[in-house]
Amino acid sequence: MLRDQGRLHLGLMLVLTFSTGVVDAIGYLGLDKVFTANMTGNVVILAMGLTGQDGLPIVGPIVALAGFVVGAAVAGRFLRGVPKGWHRRDTTVLSIVAGLLLVALVPTAFITTTPADPALGLPVTALLAIAMGMQAGAARHIAVTDVTTVVITSTLAALAFDSRLGRSTGQTWFRRLAAVVLLALGALSGAALLLVAFWLALALAALLLVAVAVLGALGSRRLAAEEAADPAQ
C-alpha cells in the first residue's frame, strides 16, 4: 500500500473511522451519553436535555461541542496554505491527536464505574473532543472522498441514493459501505472493551492513531523520495 498513495490514504482513513467508533462508544457509555466525535448526536442530546428530560446531560455535550470546534480550528490554522493531500503537517496533527488520547488514558486509570464521575469524565471528554476535532480537520485536508472519519450520515445517504434501488449510478460503494461497517465495528469493540476496563478501549484508539500517523508519514516520505528520484513525476 505504501506504493499506492490513494489506497494507503483510503485505508488509513478507514482505520480512523473504526477508531472513531471506539471513541464514541467510550463517550456515550463511559462519559454519560456524550459523543466526542459525532457532534450531530451531541446537538440533539443537548437540545433535549435543555427541556429538562431526566437522564440527559447538558454540561458534557457543551464541553464536547466546544472542544471539537477548538480542535478543528487548531487543525485548520496549522494546515492553512498547505495543498490538499497528505503532508508532513497532517502527520503532526494526527500525532498530536494520538498524544491527546494517550494523555486522556491517565485519568481513565482511576475510572472504575460507568458513567464516570464528572470530576474525571469532563476532562476526558474535553481531551477526546479536541482530539476528534483535530482528526476531522486532518481528514478533511487529506480529502479521501466519502470518508470523513467522524460522521457517516452523508455517506449512508449517498450509498442508498446512488444504489440500484435509488438513482442507480456508479459509485464508490466499497469505501462507503466500509466506512459504515467499520464505524459500527469500532463502537462494538469499544463497548465490549468497556466491560473489561475503561482504559482498554481508549488504549486501542490511541494505538490505532499512532499506527495511522506512522504509516502516513512513511507513505509521504516514500512519495517524496520517488519524486526526487524522478522529477518528471
Side-chain angles (χ1 to χ4, degrees):
M1 288 182 68
L2 290 177
R3 297 191 185 97
D4 187 333
Q5 293 295 302
R7 289 182 61 193
L8 175 64
H9 295 167
L10 172 60
L12 295 182
M13 293 304 101
L14 289 175
V15 171
L16 289 183
T17 302
F18 176 89
S19 176
T20 296
V22 175
V23 172
D24 263 346
I26 294 170
Y28 192 82
L29 298 175
L31 301 174
D32 194 20
K33 299 182 178 66
V34 174
F35 292 107
T36 53
N38 179 11
M39 292 301 112
T40 302
N42 271 336
V43 170
V44 173
I45 290 173
L46 176 60
M48 293 189 296
L50 289 173
T51 68
Q53 294 290 333
D54 291 339
L56 291 178
I58 294 176
V59 177
I62 291 176
V63 170
L65 285 165
F68 188 91
V69 170
V70 168
V74 169
R77 170 69 68 169
F78 192 67
L79 293 168
R80 177 184 290 185
V82 179
K84 283 188 177 294
W86 198 293
H87 187 272
R88 63 178 180 276
R89 290 194 185 183
D90 292 289
T91 301
T92 301
V93 170
L94 292 176
S95 297
I96 293 173
V97 172
L100 289 172
L101 295 185
L102 290 172
V103 170
L105 267 174
V106 177
T108 62
F110 301 96
I111 297 176
T112 56
T113 60
T114 53
D117 183 271
L120 291 175
L122 289 178
V124 173
T125 297
L127 286 170
L128 295 184
I130 293 171
M132 291 299 99
M134 294 185 71
Q135 176 184 299
R140 182 177 178 84
H141 180 259
I142 295 168
V144 174
T145 305
D146 292 321
V147 186
T148 65
T149 77
V150 293
V151 293
I152 59 168
T153 303
S154 57
T155 303
L156 190 59
L159 182 64
F161 183 77
D162 293 331
S163 70
R164 291 187 179 182
L165 296 176
R167 193 172 59 167
S168 189
T169 59
Q171 63 166 310
T172 53
W173 67 268
F174 172 79
R175 67 177 60 184
R176 290 175 175 176
L177 183 60
V180 174
V181 171
L182 285 171
L183 188 74
L185 290 176
L188 177 66
S189 301
L193 289 173
L194 280 174
L195 295 174
V196 182
F198 196 107
W199 66 269
L200 275 177
L202 193 50
L204 173 61
L207 287 174
L208 290 174
L209 258 297
V210 170
V212 167
V214 169
L215 289 173
L218 290 175
S220 180
R221 290 179 182 178
R222 183 183 181 92
L223 178 62
E226 290 176 351
E227 290 176 344
D230 185 4
Q233 293 184 18

